[in-house]
Amino acid sequence: MPAMPATTVRQGTTDAPTSGTASRTTSAAASDGRRPVEMLKQRWPTALAVALVILTTAGGSGELADIVGAFGDALPLLPLLYVVIHQIGRPHVTWPVLGAGVAAMVALGAQDVVSQPVALVAIALAVLVWGAVRGTPHGRAAFGVQAAGAFAFGALALVGLAVDPDLGRYLVAAGWFFHGVWDFVHLRLDKVVARSFAEWCAVVDVLVAVHLLLLL
């Protein structure tokens, strides 16, 4: 009979950590279940970029010249957005400016008077002249960097569209890829544009460049 209380005490001592372990396991499982959701919330620009590129390029079996022309036409829009937002000096307007830029692309595509890339480069030059005359919210050094980017990416687009499509796709792809690098640098520095846009644009740019390089 004296042995029974001892057995009862040992069993009670064993049950307590078992219950605690089960609780911790349940909590860890719930945390693991929430982790993908939290990651998606944090990386939504990347997910949006991947979905956009898939929808844009899926089933694309058109002529090489047409594909290179479409992405070449759109390339000058990228540095133009940076130049405009740089001059506004408010990163939170990045997405509305992107919407206005896309609307401008649609309007330019509906007319035959001037080509899209020429018009976009002209607008970028006008904004740069405005910045040179009226000043810039981020200083002359940052203004010079954005001006250099506008010239470089605009030139790659125009030359890529002017040469044979077999060569032009590499020039246009280079423009998209290096603008992706441009986006990653601005994302890291948290400068000029909204961080969400920099992440989104970087992923889009790199994936478009890969798509152009893999075209048969």
Side-chain angles (χ1 to χ4, degrees):
M1 295 298 293
M4 293 181 62
T7 303
T8 302
V9 172
R10 284 197 301 270
Q11 185 174 354
T13 306
T14 304
D15 288 343
T18 301
S19 175
T21 302
S23 177
R24 287 194 298 270
T25 302
T26 303
S27 177
S31 178
D32 290 341
R34 289 194 301 267
R35 191 170 302 165
V37 177
E38 295 300 324
M39 290 180 62
L40 183 60
K41 288 181 180 179
Q42 294 175 1
R43 296 276 74 87
W44 68 263
T46 295
L48 180 62
V50 173
L52 176 64
V53 174
I54 291 175
L55 291 174
T56 303
T57 61
S61 57
E63 294 292 331
L64 177 62
D66 294 335
I67 298 174
V68 172
F71 286 114
D73 287 344
L75 177 57
L77 177 63
L78 308 178
L80 173 60
L81 293 174
Y82 272 82
V83 168
V84 171
I85 297 166
H86 175 272
Q87 285 306 112
I88 295 175
R90 297 176 180 178
H92 67 272
V93 303
T94 301
W95 290 101
V97 171
L98 172 62
V102 172
M105 287 285 295
V106 173
L108 289 170
Q111 52 81 48
D112 298 323
V113 179
V114 60
S115 67
Q116 289 175 325
V118 171
L120 294 175
V121 170
I123 295 173
L125 290 175
V127 177
L128 289 173
V129 170
W130 167 39
V133 173
R134 297 291 300 273
T136 173
H138 297 292
R140 293 292 178 180
F143 175 78
V145 171
Q146 298 303 320
F151 280 114
F153 296 117
L156 279 172
L158 294 177
V159 175
L161 291 170
V163 300
D164 184 83
D166 288 326
L167 173 60
R169 71 164 172 171
Y170 294 106
L171 296 175
V172 174
W176 281 86
F177 175 79
F178 285 112
H179 195 272
V181 176
W182 181 272
D183 292 318
F184 277 121
V185 171
H186 283 78
L187 174 63
R188 182 64 180 264
L189 297 177
D190 196 12
K191 298 289 187 181
V192 182
V193 297
R195 289 182 57 84
S196 58
F197 172 82
E199 178 183 337
W200 172 83
C201 193
V203 176
V204 168
D205 294 352
V206 172
L207 292 179
V208 168
V210 172
H211 172 69
L212 287 170
L213 293 176
L214 294 179
L215 288 174
L216 298 178

